[in-house]
Amino acid sequence: MDTAAYNQLLAMALAIGDEKNDSVLRADAAKTYQRFADHLSLIVPQAQGNLGPALREWATASTAVARYIAEKKPRPGIVIDFGPTEKRWDAAQKAAEKVCGHDLPDLDQ
């Protein structure tokens, strides 16, 4: 789980750090969130106890973020806008952290 979270953080930083037009930036950022969802989905079958449902919800939230980022232009002055998907993402991350027993990288910052 930790490795997937750190990989997502690095992938997102690299996607934002590249100089590109807004639509390409959003598409690249969205791909990182979809890949993260895919990685979480691979972990779910092996997860013990409450971790499986927490990761499944985080994967679903990550897919929602990916779609939103790809489809919506951000508000002025914002590089990536999570819009209404942010609350679900934050709740899913907190649930995963609670089950893991420690903080994970804050991926939406």
Side-chain angles (χ1 to χ4, degrees), residues 49-87:
N50 293 331
L51 185 57
L55 296 181
R56 189 175 298 111
E57 173 56 26
W58 204 6
T60 303
S62 190
T63 296
V65 167
R67 285 188 189 130
Y68 187 87
I69 289 171
E71 295 171 1
K72 307 288 183 186
K73 285 189 173 186
R75 296 172 303 215
I78 296 179
V79 176
I80 298 292
D81 187 2
F82 285 72
T85 64
E86 186 168 16
K87 286 182 184 178

Side-chain angles (χ1 to χ4, degrees), residues 12-50:
M12 186 62 176
L14 291 171
I16 290 175
D18 265 354
E19 299 249 350
K20 37 187 126 172
N21 71 46
D22 289 346
S23 63
V24 173
L25 172 67
R26 287 195 319 275
D28 285 353
K31 286 177 194 172
T32 71
Y33 282 93
Q34 188 56 57
R35 276 192 296 264
F36 183 62
D38 295 343
H39 289 149
L40 292 180
S41 295
L42 292 172
I43 297 169
V44 168
Q46 293 134 17
Q48 302 288 320
N50 293 331

